[in-house]
Structure formats: C-alpha cells, structure tokens
Amino acid sequence: MDEFVLRTNNLVKDFGLRRVLNNVNINIRRGDIYGFIGPNGAGKTTAMKVVLGLLTPTSGEVELFGRTGDTASLKRVGSLIESPGLYKNCTALENMTRFAILTHSGRDEIMNLLRSVGLELYAGRKVNTFSLGMKQRLGIAIALMGAPELLILDEPVNALDPQGMVDIRNIIQNINRQFGVSFFISSHHIGELEKICNVYGIINNGILTEEIYTKEIMSRLDTCIFIRCEDPMAAAKAIKEKIPQSVIDLELGALTVSLSPERSAEVNRILMDAGIAVSELFVRRQSFEDFLLQRMGIMNPQGNVYNSGGVYHA
C-alpha cells in the first residue's frame, strides 16, 4: 500500500502571463487530514482543480496513489469544490440516486452515506428547503459515493454558522477515523482546521512555502512573560540590567519579556527588588492560529502576535 495518496511534482499552472502555481510540491500521506491554507488568490482552488484533472497543468506532474498520468486513480478520489451542485427541486435521496449512476452505488450505500452525514431522516425532503449546512453535508455524502480513499474539500465550512461548522468537523473526523479516508481541505477558518488537521501546507502567491505537522507547530509556539505594572519603562530597565539577553516589548501600561516561562519567578523577584508594583504577571503563549497567520505572511510577529508597541533597547 502506497504511503502517499497524493504528491505533486513541481506543479506549474499559468493563465496567460500570470503564474498561479509555481513549482508546487504537495505531499499527503495515507490517513492525513491536510489543511491547505493561504491568502485569497494564493492558488488553493487552482491546485485542487489541477489534482482533479479539471485543469491541465502547464508543467509538472500529479501523482495519485503512487501513479502518475493514471486517470483511473481519480476514481479513488472524491471532491467538493466550491459549492455542491445539487438538484434543488429534488429530495436528498433523489440527488444521491442521480449521482450514484456515476459510481454504481446502490440504495444501501446511499442510505449509509446519508446516515453518516446526519441526513437519513431528511432523505425525502427537497433540497431547496435545506439550510446551507445541510447542503454541505449532502455534498460531502455525494463526494463519498464509491468509497474514495482521498476526499478533496474546498472551503467546506465557508459561510456556515457555528453549529454547521461543528457538524462538518465531526463528519470529517468520523470518516477519517472509521474508514481511513485521507482529506485535502482548503479553508480560511484556521481555528476550525486546528481542531482536525494533523498537517498543513502553506501557499502564498502560488508558492508552497512550507509543509508542517501539528506536532512541530506546537513545539515552535513562542511564549513570553506578560507584565502589567505601574512603570513599564522602569520595569524594562530593571529586567534588562539583570538579564541582558532578554528582548522586551513595551505595550500600553504593560510589557512582554521574551524569556523561558521557567524564569517568570526570577523576573518577578527583580521587579519586587526594584520596588515596582506589579498588578499582573503571567506566561502568554502564541496561539496556534497566530503562528500559522505569521507563516502565511499575514501577521507581523512584532506588530501583532503580542500586540507589542516596539522593542525596548537599553
């Protein structure tokens, strides 16, 4: 069994003179839930369409399940790109039956899929009465027909309310755990991806800048010691005198010190010895989302991650 369900080799896609994908190398292992993130226009949807054969690459290769140039491998891939194309005047069951012709799926499989996305009780209800979240769930059920090993979802929670996001998240996790289906998901909702993905690909201006696993991200999250006190400037000077290597950012009525959390007691003693009254002192950890936004080039680590107002120089 192949370790990778999807790999791209120096994938390039040009639209006229505009290069939308620039030597993109995606690597998705069997069982991964791969979050594909980047700013608007970064090339996420284009990459997915090239993988699915909906667009022809300018150069480079797409490898599915260890094979390149094998259209039969696409039968092992399900997809939901942008919004699901549903027959709105038909019921959920009728929609599933129409699409089942393509995968030779029977009624038992259809009902099992509707059950897996929580729509079994709505099988006889017309789609034009469905909420947006229900339509997304039906779209995922259709994408799952034929028992695909890889499911490609483009913005599956876009415009959904919080409950709809939870529903889609639970469906993805359950399908991944129960059936071992791998996922390739693009989304702007990093907070939602954080709850389900084990690996991320970061794309910007058509360039895949990084692939990084959740475990590595957790080990690289920055921490700082946050202090609110009566005289932040005096506090910064006192800390800098005792710990010269510290990097200190001044905020309005507060400061942050880039030191190991284990040194927070030492910092507190320095301030007490200097006679500086401290109202708050705690360890602040960079959020998972902030880390990814920073890697995407959306957040300035000095300007936003800690909301700092500038680095203090002794």
Side-chain angles (χ1 to χ4, degrees), residues 49-80:
K49 287 183 175 180
V50 170
V51 168
L52 289 166
L54 301 176
L55 292 173
T56 303
T58 303
S59 63
E61 293 180 322
V62 175
E63 177 188 304
L64 287 168
F65 311 102
R67 296 172 178 266
T68 56
D70 180 17
T71 55
S73 295
L74 285 170
K75 294 180 180 179
R76 300 163 68 182
V77 181
S79 65
L80 178 58

Side-chain angles (χ1 to χ4, degrees), residues 10-272:
N10 294 324
L11 205 60
V12 173
K13 179 61 184 176
D14 297 332
F15 289 105
L17 297 176
R18 187 165 64 98
R19 178 148 294 184
V20 180
L21 298 177
N22 190 356
N23 293 307
V24 171
N25 295 293
I26 296 167
N27 300 277
I28 303 179
R29 288 179 167 83
R30 189 171 295 277
D32 278 346
I33 301 180
Y34 185 106
F36 198 36
I37 59 176
N40 286 330
K44 299 186 294 297
T45 301
T46 298
M48 289 179 159
K49 287 183 175 180
V50 170
V51 168
L52 289 166
L54 301 176
L55 292 173
T56 303
T58 303
S59 63
E61 293 180 322
V62 175
E63 177 188 304
L64 287 168
F65 311 102
R67 296 172 178 266
T68 56
D70 180 17
T71 55
S73 295
L74 285 170
K75 294 180 180 179
R76 300 163 68 182
V77 181
S79 65
L80 178 58
I81 302 294
E82 296 168 344
S83 58
L86 302 173
Y87 298 95
K88 296 180 181 178
N89 289 321
C90 295
T91 66
L93 179 58
E94 289 168 342
N95 268 272
M96 293 286 287
T97 303
R98 285 172 180 253
F99 284 102
I101 296 171
L102 302 173
T103 57
H104 307 290
S105 300
R107 185 181 175 87
D108 286 346
E109 181 183 346
I110 289 172
M111 294 309 297
N112 285 335
L113 287 173
L114 286 173
R115 188 178 302 112
S116 71
V117 298
L119 291 178
E120 182 186 20
L121 297 179
Y122 302 93
R125 185 166 151 183
K126 287 191 175 182
V127 169
N128 59 12
T129 67
F130 278 15
S131 67
L132 182 58
M134 293 171 73
K135 290 175 183 175
Q136 286 293 90
R137 284 189 272 159
L138 181 57
I140 291 174
I142 291 169
L144 283 167
M145 283 199 290
E149 297 168 56
L150 171 65
L151 199 58
I152 298 177
L153 304 178
D154 184 27
E155 297 287 351
V157 298
N158 193 35
L160 297 186
D161 60 24
Q163 184 57 53
M165 290 184 184
V166 171
D167 292 341
I168 298 299
R169 181 208 313 159
N170 290 338
I171 288 168
I172 291 170
Q173 289 177 313
N174 290 337
I175 292 168
N176 176 256
R177 290 169 184 165
Q178 291 181 26
F179 306 109
V181 176
S182 307
F183 283 85
F184 182 25
I185 307 172
S186 76
S187 182
H188 291 99
H189 295 274
I190 295 176
E192 282 301 303
L193 290 181
E194 177 186 350
K195 298 177 178 71
I196 58 174
C197 294
N198 68 307
V199 60
Y200 297 85
I202 301 172
I203 189 169
N204 205 339
N205 294 320
I207 299 172
L208 189 70
T209 59
E210 188 172 15
E211 287 187 319
I212 185 168
Y213 278 82
T214 298
K215 289 181 180 179
E216 184 179 351
I217 294 173
M218 297 304 295
S219 70
R220 291 168 60 181
L221 294 180
D222 292 332
T223 57
C224 68
I225 301 169
F226 176 87
I227 304 162
R228 192 175 299 281
C229 60
E230 61 183 7
D231 191 342
M233 183 64 75
K237 186 174 293 186
I239 295 168
K240 198 72 176 178
E241 285 176 357
K242 297 293 185 180
I243 312 176
Q245 74 272 25
S246 60
V247 176
I248 302 173
D249 295 350
L250 293 172
E251 300 184 4
L252 184 63
L255 65 156
T256 58
V257 185
S258 296
L259 286 172
S260 168
E262 289 76 17
R263 303 192 71 172
S264 56
E266 178 185 355
V267 169
N268 191 41
R269 282 195 301 271
I270 290 170
L271 297 178
M272 290 177 62

